[in-house]
Amino acid sequence: MERLIYFIRRALRNMRQCLFLCSVAIGTTAVALTIIAFFAIVVLNVQQLTADWSRQVEIVAYLDTVPDARTLQGLHGKILALPEVESVDYTTPEQAFSQFRKRLGNDADLLSGVDPDILPASFEIALKPLFRNQAGVDTVVTRLQKEVGLNDIKFGREWLEKFESFVALLKLGGAVIGGFLLFAALFIVSNTIRLTQYARRDELEVMSLVGATSMFIKTPFLIEGAIQGALGGIAAIVGSFVLFRLFLYESLSSLLLASGSGAIAFLPLSFQGLLLSAGVFLGLFGSLMSLRKLVRV
Amino acid sequence: MIQIYNVSKAYRKDAAALSELNLKIPKGDFVYITGPSGAGKSTLLKLLYAAEKPSRGQILINGQNITRMRGRRIPELRRHMGIVFQDFKLLNSRTIFENVAFPLEVQGKKRFEVSKKVFQTLKLVGLEHKLQSLPLELSGGEQQRVAVARALVVDPLVLIADEPTGNLDPDVTLDIMGLFRGANARGSTVLLATHDREMIRRFPRRVITLENGRLVDDRMP
Ligand SMILES: Nc1ncnc2c1ncn2[C@@H]1O[C@H](COP(=O)(O)OP(=O)(O)O)[C@@H](O)[C@H]1O
Ligand SMILES: [Mg+2]
């Protein structure tokens, strides 16, 4: 314990003496992690909202003719028996008509004298959460066509496809850019620590000559790396929060909340913790890399 | 006891810095190592404190074969050695006290043990009144005295000095020699590389002469 405090003090002294280099390392880590956090905020929010929306994803199957009670019951049962289906609602032409009339509002008198039968009867089919995606929709549509014999089917397929590929693109972009930046940060951190080692080579030489173990020599550099990484991680959390407040919140809201539901959220606490640990890991690993080439007397 | 058997060292192929060296240095001995520049004096000392490995041959210190020693055991070896250089190798951002305390700090000694021992040693070299100064505020002779104090603070079994007075005035040289002789009197084996003929004449001891990496002379006074 006393030993640890001693090492931390030495690490802090190192950092004070190489303030500029140290700030560069912290800054790079912070920028890399901030950009990753930025992508994460967008991806998480888009995913959250698509999840909200997909709850409303429905398949609507229109019927050519209005079925009699027995056929209706048979169809209803068959659809409900499909493993992907959560619930089925039957809408009569009259119900559809009155809904339509409601939606027209003041223009409803346009419909006066029109026969309710012009609108088809339909089933509205909601899927179980697991199947609220493109693949699930596809399976159910195929089954409705082949197994139930319904052919006139509408579903939000294109819409889903677009959002799914948008999220995939975001994730990929985030991973590529983030990975690249992490790599750059690792490189810079390890070189910064190598430079501070170079600046302190006299001390390292003397240490070694008076019998310092390699653990004794290296530990402060590892601690320095970890501290730099942690500070970079904290800076990234603060930085991405500022970005989020100043800019991301508004643009995400206008982009995603057109439907007026849901809310834009900052990174959850667990993710912030992840960001911090990523920083620490980066710093530790960076200094470990630089220590492998540490000059031995 | 230092035993050197058939030791050769070549930094590069076909250019031996030391060849076929055989030596025995009993415990408590005081030995000058002399010879022209490039003769291999520093190389021999580096082999002894394991900063270099011999290309061939064996070196035993107190019966321990340091040529076979693992890298992780080297610190332990050096903790029983004091090493002094021509260029002092002090840490200029640390005070005199901190410089002398450094070997003890590295060994993880307790704080109060450290202060007491450091103060004693500084008194021995006559610098107890300068303990808050920085090395560059001192004269060359004083700086070398600090370096010697740093070597002596661990009560070394072996004291190794590589041209310790090469940069110093004759009267300062006398001071430093006095410190080495004192350490020897207290039981440290002293190995001192020098080409100061005057010093050897003045304090006659065993003299080992190297030339082109070969032992050419080994005589007692
Ligand atoms: N690190 C090194 N790399 C290559 N050659 C070296 C190195 N150190 C010393 N030498 C060579 O080894 C020989 C002996 O050098 P050294 O032991 O320093 O001699 P001295 O201390 O007696 O002046 C010299 O020829 C020198 O050039
Ligand atoms: Mg030399």
Side-chain angles (χ1 to χ4, degrees):
Chain A
M1 191 59 211
E2 201 180 317
R3 211 74 180 133
L4 187 66
I5 291 171
Y6 169 79
F7 283 133
I8 291 174
R9 264 221 307 276
R10 244 173 69 203
L12 290 177
R13 178 151 77 178
N14 279 8
M15 289 170 74
R16 256 205 314 279
Q17 284 179 0
C18 299
L19 216 51
F20 175 73
L21 283 177
C22 190
S23 322
V24 171
I26 295 172
T28 324
T29 313
V31 169
L33 292 176
T34 303
I35 290 174
I36 290 169
F38 184 94
F39 272 94
I41 293 172
V42 175
V43 167
L44 288 178
N45 276 296
V46 170
Q47 265 181 330
Q48 180 56 41
L49 284 165
T50 47
D52 287 347
W53 287 337
S54 70
R55 212 157 300 140
Q56 301 158 13
V57 167
E58 279 193 340
I59 298 173
V60 181
Y62 296 99
L63 302 171
D64 303 334
T65 53
V66 178
D68 60 46
R70 257 191 48 207
T71 327
L72 176 64
Q73 210 164 23
L75 285 173
H76 192 277
K78 268 190 192 168
I79 297 171
L80 203 56
L82 295 177
E84 296 88 355
V85 170
E86 188 170 72
S87 65
V88 184
D89 279 320
Y90 176 67
T91 307
T92 62
E94 289 76 17
Q95 284 165 338
F97 191 78
S98 73
Q99 274 170 17
F100 188 36
R101 186 196 284 280
K102 239 184 244 156
R103 217 179 304 155
L104 286 175
N106 288 337
D107 299 326
D109 48 344
L110 285 173
L111 292 178
S112 61
V114 177
D115 188 349
D117 283 350
I118 64 156
L119 289 178
S122 62
F123 287 112
E124 275 142 36
I125 302 157
L127 302 183
K128 288 178 182 160
L130 202 58
F131 301 99
R132 284 174 197 155
N133 53 38
Q134 200 193 313
V137 169
D138 283 348
T139 329
V140 173
V141 168
T142 318
R143 280 177 187 248
L144 287 174
Q145 287 168 340
K146 291 212 173 121
E147 295 172 24
V148 189
L150 298 169
N151 288 312
D152 190 2
I153 296 168
K154 281 213 176 105
F155 51 91
R157 179 197 168 116
E158 281 169 33
W159 178 88
L160 261 184
E161 253 174 26
K162 261 185 204 154
F163 258 96
E164 277 171 11
S165 54
F166 177 55
V167 170
L169 199 69
L170 273 178
K171 278 184 181 169
L172 186 71
V176 168
I177 296 176
F180 177 77
L181 285 166
L182 276 182
F183 197 74
L186 192 66
F187 180 78
I188 290 176
V189 167
S190 94
N191 276 293
T192 317
I193 291 188
R194 189 168 301 153
L195 282 174
T196 69
Q197 281 164 14
Y198 185 74
R200 315 182 69 73
R201 63 193 180 285
D202 292 349
E203 186 177 334
L204 294 177
E205 185 192 358
V206 174
M207 263 185 207
S208 171
L209 286 173
V210 299
T213 58
S214 102
M215 195 279 285
F216 182 91
I217 295 176
K218 288 177 179 179
T219 306
F221 289 107
L222 290 177
I223 292 177
E224 181 180 342
I227 293 176
Q228 285 180 1
L231 288 177
I234 292 170
I237 294 170
V238 173
S240 55
F241 187 74
V242 170
L243 266 183
F244 174 73
R245 275 280 147 206
L246 286 184
F247 156 72
L248 213 49
Y249 184 82
E250 294 244 338
S251 46
L252 276 180
S253 301
S254 59
L255 191 71
L256 297 177
L257 294 186
S259 64
S261 67
I264 302 297
F266 186 59
L267 295 171
L269 214 57
S270 61
F271 209 96
Q272 296 178 30
L274 208 65
L275 222 50
L276 187 65
S277 347
V280 172
F281 176 78
L282 203 71
L284 272 177
F285 197 70
S287 64
L288 213 57
M289 271 172 44
S290 73
L291 284 169
R292 281 198 338 180
K293 295 186 190 166
L294 182 63
V295 275
R296 277 230 63 121
V297 179
Chain B
M1 177 75 140
I2 298 170
Q3 293 153 290
I4 296 174
Y5 296 110
N6 279 321
V7 164
S8 297
K9 173 68 183 177
Y11 291 103
R12 273 176 260 106
K13 276 184 189 162
D14 67 289
L18 283 179
S19 349
E20 304 286 323
L21 196 65
N22 284 290
L23 270 180
K24 275 202 176 67
I25 298 170
K27 194 167 177 337
D29 222 3
F30 191 119
V31 182
Y32 292 111
I33 299 162
T34 189
S37 180
K41 303 183 292 293
S42 299
T43 302
L44 173 58
L45 297 182
K46 280 180 192 161
L47 293 178
L48 291 176
Y49 59 82
E52 296 284 352
K53 274 192 179 304
S55 314
R56 253 177 299 133
Q58 312 292 329
I59 299 175
L60 277 68
I61 297 181
N62 290 332
Q64 202 182 15
N65 191 335
I66 66 165
T67 44
R68 295 244 187 83
M69 200 153 70
R70 299 255 194 85
R72 5 183 351 172
R73 304 270 312 278
I74 291 174
E76 186 53 32
L77 172 77
R78 291 183 182 162
R79 286 176 185 197
H80 301 294
M81 288 182 169
I83 312 173
V84 180
F85 298 92
Q86 183 169 8
D87 59 354
F88 321 142
K89 293 200 197 294
L90 298 177
L91 303 177
N92 291 330
S93 62
R94 301 195 182 208
T95 65
I96 301 312
F97 181 91
E98 289 170 327
N99 268 280
V100 177
F102 201 58
L104 301 176
E105 178 184 330
V106 157
Q107 293 185 21
K109 287 277 189 310
K110 293 272 184 302
R111 211 163 259 271
F112 69 92
E113 285 179 85
V114 171
S115 320
K116 202 168 133 211
K117 186 69 187 163
V118 170
F119 194 73
Q120 272 176 5
T121 311
L122 277 172
K123 214 159 158 181
L124 192 72
V125 303
L127 284 175
E128 71 276 18
H129 55 291
K130 296 268 173 126
L131 50 89
Q132 290 301 335
S133 308
L134 293 173
L136 295 181
E137 295 165 3
L138 305 186
S139 70
E142 286 172 325
Q143 287 185 51
Q144 191 60 301
R145 266 145 71 192
V146 175
V148 174
R150 183 180 64 194
L152 294 182
V153 79
V154 296
D155 295 320
L157 294 175
V158 182
L159 182 59
I160 290 174
D162 194 350
E163 314 221 16
T165 58
N167 283 339
L168 303 177
D169 297 337
D171 51 330
V172 179
T173 298
L174 283 183
D175 285 354
I176 302 289
M177 275 308 291
L179 296 175
F180 289 139
R181 291 170 63 202
N184 184 237
R186 285 189 305 277
S188 298
T189 307
V190 178
L191 297 172
L192 203 165
T194 182
H195 42 225
D196 187 343
R197 295 257 135 225
E198 173 58 29
M199 186 160 85
I200 297 175
R201 208 168 11 247
R202 194 152 179 167
F203 306 104
R205 295 296 192 124
R206 180 180 175 190
V207 180
I208 290 166
T209 309
L210 298 178
E211 247 167 58
N212 284 323
R214 292 183 184 280
L215 180 79
V216 295
D217 194 23
D218 182 355
R219 69 174 66 191
M220 301 297 280

